[in-house]
Coordinates of all heavy atoms in Angstrom, one line a residue:
M21 N -3.2 38.2 2.9 CA -2.6 37.7 4.2 C -3.4 36.5 4.6 O -4.6 36.3 4.6 CB -2.8 38.9 5.2 CG -2.2 38.6 6.6 SD -2.3 40.0 7.6 CE -0.6 40.6 7.5
S22 N -2.6 35.5 5.1 CA -3.2 34.2 5.5 C -3.6 34.3 6.9 O -3.0 35.0 7.7 CB -2.2 33.1 5.3 OG -1.1 33.2 6.1
E23 N -4.7 33.5 7.2 CA -5.1 33.4 8.6 C -4.5 32.2 9.2 O -4.6 31.1 8.7 CB -6.6 33.3 8.6 CG -7.3 34.6 8.2 CD -8.8 34.4 8.3 OE1 -9.3 33.4 8.9 OE2 -9.5 35.3 7.9
Q24 N -3.9 32.3 10.4 CA -3.3 31.2 11.1 C -3.8 31.3 12.5 O -3.7 32.3 13.1 CB -1.8 31.3 11.0 CG -1.2 29.9 11.1 CD 0.0 29.8 10.2 OE1 0.5 30.7 9.6 NE2 0.5 28.6 10.0
T25 N -4.3 30.1 13.0 CA -4.8 30.1 14.4 C -3.7 29.7 15.4 O -3.9 29.9 16.6 CB -5.9 29.1 14.5 OG1 -5.5 27.8 14.0 CG2 -7.1 29.6 13.7
S26 N -2.6 29.2 14.9 CA -1.5 28.7 15.8 C -0.2 29.1 15.2 O 0.0 29.0 14.0 CB -1.6 27.2 16.0 OG -0.5 26.8 16.7
S27 N 0.7 29.5 16.0 CA 2.1 29.8 15.6 C 3.0 28.5 15.5 O 4.0 28.6 15.0 CB 2.7 30.9 16.4 OG 2.8 30.4 17.8
A28 N 2.5 27.4 16.1 CA 3.3 26.2 16.2 C 3.3 25.6 14.8 O 2.2 25.4 14.2 CB 2.7 25.2 17.2
P29 N 4.5 25.2 14.3 CA 4.5 24.6 13.0 C 3.9 23.2 13.0 O 4.1 22.5 14.0 CB 6.0 24.5 12.6 CG 6.7 24.6 13.9 CD 5.8 25.4 14.8
K30 N 3.2 22.8 12.0 CA 2.6 21.5 11.9 C 3.4 20.6 11.0 O 3.8 21.0 10.0 CB 1.1 21.6 11.3 CG 0.2 22.4 12.2 CD -0.3 21.7 13.4 CE -1.4 22.5 14.1 NZ -1.9 21.7 15.2
P31 N 3.7 19.4 11.5 CA 4.6 18.5 10.7 C 4.0 18.0 9.4 O 2.8 17.9 9.3 CB 4.9 17.4 11.7 CG 3.7 17.3 12.5 CD 3.2 18.8 12.7
A32 N 4.8 17.8 8.4 CA 4.4 17.2 7.1 C 4.3 15.7 7.2 O 3.7 15.0 6.4 CB 5.3 17.6 6.0
V33 N 5.1 15.2 8.2 CA 5.1 13.7 8.4 C 4.6 13.5 9.9 O 4.7 14.4 10.7 CB 6.5 13.1 8.2 CG1 7.0 13.2 6.8 CG2 7.5 13.7 9.2
P34 N 4.1 12.3 10.1 CA 3.6 12.1 11.5 C 4.7 12.2 12.6 O 5.8 11.9 12.4 CB 3.1 10.6 11.4 CG 2.9 10.3 10.0 CD 3.9 11.1 9.3
H35 N 4.2 12.8 13.7 CA 5.1 12.9 14.9 C 5.1 11.6 15.6 O 4.0 10.9 15.7 CB 4.5 14.0 15.8 CG 5.1 14.1 17.1 ND1 6.3 14.7 17.3 CD2 4.7 13.7 18.3 CE1 6.7 14.6 18.6 NE2 5.7 14.0 19.2
I36 N 6.2 11.1 16.1 CA 6.3 9.9 16.9 C 5.8 10.1 18.3 O 6.4 10.8 19.1 CB 7.7 9.3 16.9 CG1 8.3 9.0 15.5 CG2 7.8 8.1 17.8 CD1 9.7 8.7 15.5
A37 N 4.6 9.6 18.5 CA 4.0 9.8 19.9 C 4.8 9.1 20.9 O 5.1 9.6 22.0 CB 2.5 9.4 19.9
Q38 N 5.1 7.8 20.6 CA 6.0 7.0 21.4 C 6.5 5.8 20.6 O 5.8 5.4 19.7 CB 5.3 6.5 22.7 CG 4.3 5.5 22.5 CD 3.7 4.9 23.9 OE1 3.8 5.6 24.9 NE2 3.2 3.7 23.8
K39 N 7.7 5.3 20.9 CA 8.3 4.2 20.2 C 7.9 2.9 20.8 O 8.7 2.1 21.1 CB 9.8 4.4 20.1 CG 10.3 5.5 19.2 CD 11.8 5.6 19.1 CE 12.2 6.7 18.2 NZ 13.7 6.8 18.2
A40 N 6.6 2.7 20.9 CA 6.0 1.5 21.5 C 4.5 1.6 21.2 O 4.0 2.7 21.0 CB 6.2 1.5 23.0
P41 N 3.8 0.5 21.1 CA 2.4 0.5 20.9 C 1.7 0.9 22.2 O 2.2 0.9 23.3 CB 2.1 -1.0 20.6 CG 3.1 -1.8 21.2 CD 4.4 -0.9 21.2
F42 N 0.4 1.3 22.0 CA -0.5 1.6 23.1 C -1.5 0.5 23.3 O -2.2 0.1 22.3 CB -1.3 2.9 22.8 CG -0.6 4.2 22.8 CD1 -0.1 4.7 21.6 CD2 -0.3 4.9 23.9 CE1 0.6 5.9 21.5 CE2 0.4 6.1 23.9 CZ 0.9 6.6 22.7
A43 N -1.4 -0.2 24.4 CA -2.3 -1.3 24.7 C -3.6 -0.8 25.2 O -3.6 0.0 26.1 CB -1.7 -2.3 25.7
V44 N -4.7 -1.2 24.5 CA -6.0 -0.6 24.9 C -7.0 -1.8 24.9 O -7.1 -2.6 24.0 CB -6.5 0.4 23.8 CG1 -7.9 0.9 24.2 CG2 -5.5 1.6 23.8
E45 N -7.9 -1.8 25.9 CA -9.0 -2.7 25.9 C -10.1 -2.1 25.1 O -10.6 -1.0 25.5 CB -9.5 -2.9 27.4 CG -8.5 -3.7 28.3 CD -8.5 -5.2 28.0 OE1 -9.4 -5.7 27.3 OE2 -7.5 -5.9 28.4
V46 N -10.5 -2.8 24.1 CA -11.6 -2.2 23.2 C -12.9 -3.1 23.3 O -12.8 -4.2 23.8 CB -11.1 -2.2 21.7 CG1 -9.9 -1.3 21.5 CG2 -10.8 -3.6 21.2
E47 N -14.0 -2.5 22.9 CA -15.3 -3.1 23.0 C -15.8 -3.5 21.6 O -15.7 -2.6 20.7 CB -16.3 -2.2 23.7 CG -16.1 -2.0 25.1 CD -17.2 -0.9 25.6 OE1 -18.3 -1.0 25.2 OE2 -16.7 0.0 26.3
E48 N -16.2 -4.7 21.4 CA -16.8 -5.1 20.2 C -17.8 -4.2 19.6 O -18.7 -3.8 20.4 CB -17.4 -6.5 20.3 CG -18.0 -7.0 19.0 CD -18.5 -8.5 19.2 OE1 -18.2 -9.1 20.2 OE2 -19.2 -8.9 18.2
G49 N -17.7 -3.7 18.4 CA -18.7 -2.9 17.8 C -18.5 -1.4 18.0 O -19.1 -0.6 17.4
K50 N -17.6 -1.0 18.9 CA -17.3 0.4 19.2 C -16.4 1.0 18.2 O -15.5 0.3 17.7 CB -16.7 0.5 20.6 CG -16.6 1.9 21.1 CD -16.2 2.0 22.6 CE -16.0 3.5 23.0 NZ -15.6 3.6 24.4
I51 N -16.6 2.2 17.8 CA -15.8 2.9 16.8 C -14.8 3.8 17.6 O -15.0 4.5 18.5 CB -16.7 3.8 16.0 CG1 -17.7 3.0 15.1 CG2 -15.9 4.7 15.0 CD1 -18.8 3.7 14.4
Y52 N -13.5 3.7 17.0 CA -12.4 4.4 17.6 C -11.8 5.3 16.5 O -11.8 4.8 15.3 CB -11.3 3.5 18.2 CG -11.9 2.6 19.3 CD1 -12.6 1.4 19.0 CD2 -11.7 3.0 20.6 CE1 -13.1 0.6 20.1 CE2 -12.2 2.2 21.7 CZ -12.9 1.1 21.4 OH -13.4 0.3 22.4
F53 N -11.2 6.4 16.8 CA -10.6 7.3 15.9 C -9.1 7.4 16.3 O -8.7 8.1 17.2 CB -11.2 8.6 15.8 CG -12.6 8.6 15.2 CD1 -13.7 8.4 16.0 CD2 -12.7 8.7 13.8 CE1 -15.0 8.3 15.4 CE2 -14.0 8.6 13.2 CZ -15.1 8.4 14.0
W54 N -8.3 6.6 15.6 CA -6.8 6.5 15.9 C -6.1 7.8 15.4 O -6.4 8.2 14.2 CB -6.3 5.3 15.2 CG -4.8 5.1 15.3 CD1 -4.1 4.7 16.4 CD2 -3.8 5.2 14.2 NE1 -2.7 4.7 16.1 CE2 -2.6 5.0 14.7 CE3 -3.9 5.6 12.9 CZ2 -1.4 5.0 14.0 CZ3 -2.8 5.6 12.1 CH2 -1.5 5.3 12.7
C55 N -5.3 8.3 16.2 CA -4.5 9.5 15.8 C -3.4 9.1 14.8 O -2.5 8.3 15.2 CB -3.9 10.2 17.0 SG -2.7 11.4 16.6
A56 N -3.4 9.6 13.6 CA -2.4 9.3 12.6 C -1.3 10.3 12.6 O -0.2 10.0 12.1 CB -3.0 9.2 11.3
C57 N -1.5 11.5 13.1 CA -0.5 12.5 13.1 C 0.5 12.5 14.2 O 1.5 13.1 14.1 CB -1.2 13.9 13.0 SG -1.9 14.5 14.5
G58 N 0.1 11.9 15.3 CA 1.0 11.8 16.5 C 0.9 13.0 17.4 O 1.6 13.0 18.4
L59 N 0.1 14.0 17.1 CA 0.1 15.2 17.9 C -1.0 15.2 19.0 O -1.0 16.1 19.9 CB -0.2 16.4 17.0 CG 0.8 16.7 15.9 CD1 0.3 17.8 14.9 CD2 2.2 17.0 16.5
S60 N -1.9 14.3 19.0 CA -3.0 14.2 20.0 C -2.4 14.1 21.4 O -1.4 13.3 21.6 CB -3.9 13.1 19.7 OG -4.9 12.9 20.7
S61 N -3.0 14.7 22.4 CA -2.7 14.5 23.8 C -3.5 13.4 24.4 O -3.4 13.1 25.6 CB -2.8 15.8 24.5 OG -4.2 16.3 24.5
R62 N -4.3 12.8 23.6 CA -5.2 11.7 24.1 C -4.7 10.4 23.4 O -5.6 9.6 23.0 CB -6.7 11.9 23.7 CG -7.3 13.0 24.6 CD -8.8 13.1 24.2 NE -9.5 11.8 24.2 CZ -10.1 11.3 23.2 NH1 -10.2 12.0 22.1 NH2 -10.7 10.1 23.2
Q63 N -3.5 10.2 23.2 CA -3.0 9.0 22.5 C -3.5 7.7 23.0 O -3.7 7.6 24.2 CB -1.4 8.9 22.5 CG -0.8 10.0 21.7 CD -1.0 9.9 20.3 OE1 -1.2 8.8 19.7 NE2 -1.0 11.0 19.6
P64 N -3.9 6.8 22.1 CA -3.6 6.7 20.7 C -4.7 7.3 19.9 O -4.8 7.1 18.7 CB -3.4 5.2 20.4 CG -4.4 4.6 21.3 CD -4.4 5.4 22.6
F65 N -5.6 8.1 20.5 CA -6.8 8.5 19.8 C -6.7 10.0 19.4 O -6.0 10.8 20.1 CB -8.1 8.3 20.6 CG -8.2 6.8 21.0 CD1 -8.1 6.4 22.3 CD2 -8.3 5.8 20.0 CE1 -8.2 5.0 22.6 CE2 -8.4 4.5 20.3 CZ -8.3 4.1 21.6
C66 N -7.5 10.4 18.4 CA -7.5 11.7 17.9 C -8.2 12.7 18.9 O -9.2 12.4 19.5 CB -8.3 11.7 16.6 SG -8.5 13.4 15.8
D67 N -7.6 13.9 19.0 CA -8.2 15.0 19.8 C -8.4 16.2 19.0 O -8.6 17.3 19.5 CB -7.4 15.3 21.1 CG -6.0 16.0 20.8 OD1 -5.7 16.1 19.6 OD2 -5.4 16.4 21.7
G68 N -8.2 16.1 17.6 CA -8.4 17.2 16.7 C -7.1 18.0 16.5 O -7.1 19.0 15.7
S69 N -6.0 17.6 17.1 CA -4.7 18.4 16.9 C -4.2 18.3 15.5 O -3.3 19.1 15.2 CB -3.7 17.9 17.9 OG -4.1 18.1 19.2
H70 N -4.7 17.4 14.7 CA -4.2 17.3 13.3 C -4.7 18.5 12.5 O -4.2 18.7 11.3 CB -4.7 16.0 12.7 CG -6.2 16.0 12.6 ND1 -7.0 15.4 13.5 CD2 -7.0 16.4 11.6 CE1 -8.3 15.5 13.2 NE2 -8.3 16.1 12.0
K71 N -5.6 19.3 13.0 CA -6.1 20.5 12.2 C -4.9 21.3 11.8 O -4.0 21.7 12.6 CB -7.0 21.3 13.1 CG -7.8 22.3 12.3 CD -8.8 22.9 13.2 CE -9.6 24.0 12.4 NZ -10.6 24.7 13.2
G72 N -4.8 21.6 10.5 CA -3.7 22.4 10.0 C -2.7 21.6 9.3 O -1.7 22.1 8.7
T73 N -2.8 20.3 9.4 CA -1.9 19.3 8.7 C -2.7 18.7 7.6 O -3.8 19.0 7.4 CB -1.4 18.2 9.7 OG1 -2.5 17.3 9.9 CG2 -0.9 18.7 11.0
D74 N -2.0 17.9 6.8 CA -2.6 17.2 5.7 C -3.1 15.8 6.2 O -3.6 15.0 5.4 CB -1.7 17.0 4.5 CG -1.4 18.3 3.8 OD1 -2.2 19.2 3.9 OD2 -0.3 18.3 3.2
M75 N -3.0 15.6 7.5 CA -3.3 14.3 8.1 C -4.6 14.3 8.8 O -5.1 15.4 9.1 CB -2.2 13.8 9.0 CG -0.9 13.6 8.4 SD 0.5 13.3 9.5 CE 1.1 14.9 9.7
Q76 N -5.2 13.1 9.0 CA -6.5 13.0 9.7 C -6.5 11.7 10.4 O -5.8 10.8 10.1 CB -7.7 13.2 8.7 CG -7.7 12.2 7.6 CD -8.8 12.4 6.7 OE1 -9.6 13.4 6.8 NE2 -9.0 11.6 5.7
S77 N -7.5 11.6 11.3 CA -7.6 10.3 12.1 C -8.1 9.2 11.2 O -8.6 9.4 10.1 CB -8.6 10.5 13.2 OG -9.9 10.9 12.7
L78 N -7.9 8.0 11.7 CA -8.4 6.8 11.0 C -9.5 6.1 11.8 O -9.3 5.8 13.0 CB -7.2 5.8 10.8 CG -7.6 4.5 10.1 CD1 -7.6 4.7 8.6 CD2 -6.7 3.4 10.5
K79 N -10.7 6.0 11.2 CA -11.8 5.4 11.9 C -11.6 3.9 11.9 O -11.3 3.3 10.8 CB -13.1 5.7 11.1 CG -14.3 5.2 11.7 CD -15.5 5.7 10.9 CE -16.8 5.1 11.4 NZ -17.9 5.5 10.5
W80 N -11.8 3.3 13.1 CA -11.6 1.8 13.2 C -12.7 1.3 14.1 O -13.0 1.9 15.1 CB -10.2 1.5 13.8 CG -9.9 0.1 14.0 CD1 -9.4 -0.8 13.1 CD2 -10.0 -0.6 15.2 NE1 -9.2 -2.0 13.7 CE2 -9.6 -2.0 15.0 CE3 -10.4 -0.3 16.5 CZ2 -9.6 -2.9 16.0 CZ3 -10.4 -1.3 17.5 CH2 -10.0 -2.6 17.2
T81 N -13.3 0.1 13.7 CA -14.3 -0.5 14.5 C -13.8 -1.8 15.0 O -13.3 -2.6 14.3 CB -15.6 -0.7 13.6 OG1 -16.0 0.5 13.0 CG2 -16.7 -1.3 14.5
A82 N -13.9 -2.0 16.3 CA -13.5 -3.2 17.0 C -14.4 -4.4 16.6 O -15.6 -4.3 16.7 CB -13.5 -3.1 18.5
D83 N -13.8 -5.5 16.0 CA -14.6 -6.6 15.6 C -14.8 -7.6 16.8 O -15.6 -8.5 16.7 CB -14.1 -7.3 14.4 CG -12.7 -7.8 14.6 OD1 -12.1 -7.7 15.7 OD2 -12.1 -8.4 13.6
K84 N -14.1 -7.4 17.9 CA -14.3 -8.2 19.1 C -13.7 -7.4 20.3 O -12.9 -6.5 20.1 CB -13.7 -9.6 19.0 CG -12.2 -9.6 18.8 CD -11.6 -11.0 18.7 CE -10.1 -10.9 18.5 NZ -9.6 -12.3 18.3
S85 N -14.2 -7.8 21.5 CA -13.7 -7.1 22.7 C -12.4 -7.8 23.1 O -12.2 -9.0 22.9 CB -14.7 -7.3 23.8 OG -15.9 -6.5 23.5
G86 N -11.5 -6.9 23.7 CA -10.3 -7.5 24.1 C -9.2 -6.4 24.0 O -9.4 -5.3 23.6
K87 N -7.9 -6.8 24.3 CA -6.8 -5.9 24.3 C -6.2 -5.9 22.8 O -6.0 -7.0 22.2 CB -5.7 -6.4 25.2 CG -4.6 -5.4 25.3 CD -3.5 -5.9 26.3 CE -3.9 -5.7 27.7 NZ -2.7 -6.0 28.6
V88 N -6.0 -4.7 22.4 CA -5.3 -4.5 21.1 C -4.1 -3.6 21.3 O -4.1 -2.8 22.2 CB -6.3 -4.0 20.0 CG1 -7.4 -5.0 19.7 CG2 -6.8 -2.6 20.3
W89 N -3.2 -3.6 20.3 CA -2.0 -2.7 20.4 C -2.1 -1.7 19.2 O -1.7 -2.0 18.1 CB -0.8 -3.6 20.4 CG -0.6 -4.3 21.6 CD1 0.2 -3.9 22.7 CD2 -1.2 -5.5 22.1 NE1 0.1 -4.8 23.7 CE2 -0.7 -5.8 23.4 CE3 -2.1 -6.4 21.5 CZ2 -1.1 -6.9 24.1 CZ3 -2.5 -7.5 22.2 CH2 -2.0 -7.8 23.5
F90 N -2.5 -0.5 19.6 CA -2.5 0.6 18.5 C -1.1 1.1 18.4 O -0.3 1.3 19.3 CB -3.4 1.8 19.0 CG -4.8 1.5 18.9 CD1 -5.6 1.1 20.1 CD2 -5.6 1.6 17.8 CE1 -6.9 0.8 20.0 CE2 -6.9 1.3 17.7 CZ -7.6 1.0 18.8
C91 N -0.7 1.4 17.1 CA 0.6 2.0 16.8 C 0.8 3.3 17.5 O 0.0 4.2 17.5 CB 0.7 2.2 15.3 SG 2.2 3.0 14.8
G92 N 2.0 3.4 18.1 CA 2.3 4.7 18.8 C 3.3 5.5 18.0 O 3.4 6.7 18.2
C93 N 4.1 4.9 17.1 CA 5.1 5.6 16.4 C 4.6 6.2 15.1 O 5.2 7.1 14.5 CB 6.3 4.7 16.0 SG 6.0 3.5 14.8
K94 N 3.4 5.8 14.7 CA 2.6 6.3 13.5 C 3.3 5.9 12.2 O 3.0 6.4 11.2 CB 2.4 7.8 13.6 CG 1.9 8.3 14.9 CD 0.7 7.7 15.4 CE 0.2 8.1 16.7 NZ -1.0 7.5 17.2
A95 N 4.2 4.9 12.2 CA 4.9 4.5 11.0 C 4.4 3.1 10.6 O 5.0 2.6 9.6 CB 6.4 4.5 11.2
T96 N 3.5 2.5 11.3 CA 3.0 1.2 10.9 C 2.5 1.1 9.5 O 1.9 2.1 9.0 CB 1.9 0.7 11.9 OG1 1.5 -0.6 11.6 CG2 0.7 1.6 11.9
A97 N 2.6 0.0 8.9 CA 2.0 -0.3 7.6 C 0.7 -1.0 7.7 O 0.1 -1.4 6.8 CB 3.0 -1.1 6.7
R98 N 0.3 -1.2 9.0 CA -0.9 -2.0 9.3 C -1.8 -1.1 10.2 O -2.4 -1.5 11.2 CB -0.5 -3.2 10.1 CG -1.2 -4.5 9.8 CD -0.6 -5.7 10.5 NE -0.4 -5.6 11.9 CZ -1.3 -5.9 12.8 NH1 -2.4 -6.5 12.5 NH2 -1.1 -5.8 14.1
Q99 N -2.0 0.2 9.8 CA -2.8 1.1 10.5 C -4.2 0.6 10.9 O -4.8 0.0 10.0 CB -3.0 2.4 9.7 CG -1.7 3.2 9.5 CD -2.0 4.4 8.7 OE1 -3.0 4.7 8.2 NE2 -1.0 5.3 8.7
P100 N -4.6 0.8 12.1 CA -4.0 1.5 13.2 C -3.2 0.7 14.1 O -2.8 1.2 15.2 CB -5.2 2.1 13.9 CG -6.3 1.0 13.8 CD -6.0 0.4 12.4
M101 N -3.0 -0.6 13.8 CA -2.3 -1.5 14.7 C -0.8 -1.5 14.6 O -0.3 -1.2 13.5 CB -2.8 -2.9 14.5 CG -4.3 -3.1 14.8 SD -4.6 -2.6 16.6 CE -6.3 -2.1 16.5
C102 N -0.1 -1.8 15.6 CA 1.4 -1.9 15.6 C 1.8 -3.0 14.8 O 1.2 -4.1 14.8 CB 1.8 -2.1 17.1 SG 3.6 -2.4 17.2
D103 N 2.8 -2.8 14.0 CA 3.4 -3.9 13.2 C 4.9 -4.1 13.6 O 5.6 -4.8 12.9 CB 3.3 -3.6 11.7 CG 4.1 -2.5 11.2 OD1 4.8 -1.8 12.0 OD2 4.2 -2.3 10.0
G104 N 5.3 -3.5 14.7 CA 6.7 -3.7 15.2 C 7.7 -2.7 14.6 O 8.9 -2.7 14.9
R105 N 7.2 -1.8 13.7 CA 8.1 -0.9 13.0 C 8.9 0.0 13.9 O 10.0 0.5 13.6 CB 7.3 -0.1 11.9 CG 8.2 0.6 10.9 CD 7.4 0.9 9.7 NE 6.8 -0.3 9.1 CZ 6.6 -0.5 7.8 NH1 6.9 0.4 7.0 NH2 6.1 -1.6 7.4
H106 N 8.3 0.3 15.1 CA 9.0 1.2 16.0 C 10.4 0.7 16.4 O 11.2 1.5 16.8 CB 8.1 1.4 17.3 CG 7.8 0.1 18.0 ND1 6.8 -0.7 17.7 CD2 8.5 -0.5 19.0 CE1 6.8 -1.8 18.5 NE2 7.8 -1.6 19.3
K107 N 10.6 -0.6 16.3 CA 11.9 -1.1 16.7 C 13.0 -0.7 15.8 O 14.2 -0.7 16.2 CB 11.8 -2.7 16.7 CG 10.9 -3.2 17.8 CD 10.7 -4.7 17.7 CE 9.6 -5.2 18.6 NZ 9.2 -6.5 18.2
A108 N 12.7 -0.3 14.6 CA 13.7 0.2 13.6 C 13.9 1.7 13.6 O 14.7 2.2 12.9 CB 13.2 -0.3 12.2
L109 N 13.1 2.4 14.5 CA 13.2 3.9 14.5 C 14.3 4.4 15.4 O 14.7 3.7 16.3 CB 11.9 4.5 14.9 CG 10.7 4.2 14.0 CD1 9.4 4.8 14.6 CD2 10.9 4.7 12.6
Ligands
FES25 S1 -5.0 14.5 16.5 FE1 -3.7 13.2 15.3 S2 -5.1 12.5 13.7 FE2 -6.3 13.8 14.9

């Protein structure tokens, strides 16, 4: 018998958190963990909700301070940043 902690099915592909990027002011040298699964309630960052999926967060370090646009649709080819792909979804 398998042990399961949640009855909610976990997706095999990323969930679309939103069809737009998340604009965030980042600090140079600070480490961020971008949510790749789309299930986090702390978008665009990981809150551990990927547990039980084959996905995990992506560690990213800001090379300078300022505003960046993290991918919200989770389909970007330029993780963790938006590449405009949400416009085609
Ligand atoms: S909650 Fe989505 S990658 Fe961790």
Side-chain angles (χ1 to χ4, degrees):
M21 185 174 255
S22 68
E23 289 183 11
Q24 204 143 12
T25 54
S26 170
S27 59
K30 298 285 187 173
V33 295
H35 172 75
I36 298 172
Q38 70 176 22
K39 290 183 180 177
F42 291 97
V44 177
E45 291 284 344
V46 298
E47 287 176 45
E48 181 178 347
K50 189 172 174 183
I51 295 169
Y52 298 86
F53 291 89
W54 175 72
C55 168
C57 74
L59 298 174
S60 174
S61 60
R62 288 183 49 236
Q63 291 296 331
F65 304 117
C66 177
D67 71 353
S69 296
H70 62 268
K71 193 172 180 184
T73 74
D74 292 335
M75 294 173 269
Q76 59 185 1
S77 61
L78 180 83
K79 183 180 175 183
W80 178 83
T81 305
D83 59 2
K84 62 182 179 181
S85 294
K87 186 182 282 185
V88 297
W89 286 265
F90 287 99
C91 172
C93 73
K94 314 303 178 183
T96 182
R98 220 170 53 90
Q99 294 182 347
M101 296 301 151
C102 174
D103 70 354
R105 196 160 299 216
H106 60 272
K107 295 174 189 162
L109 299 177

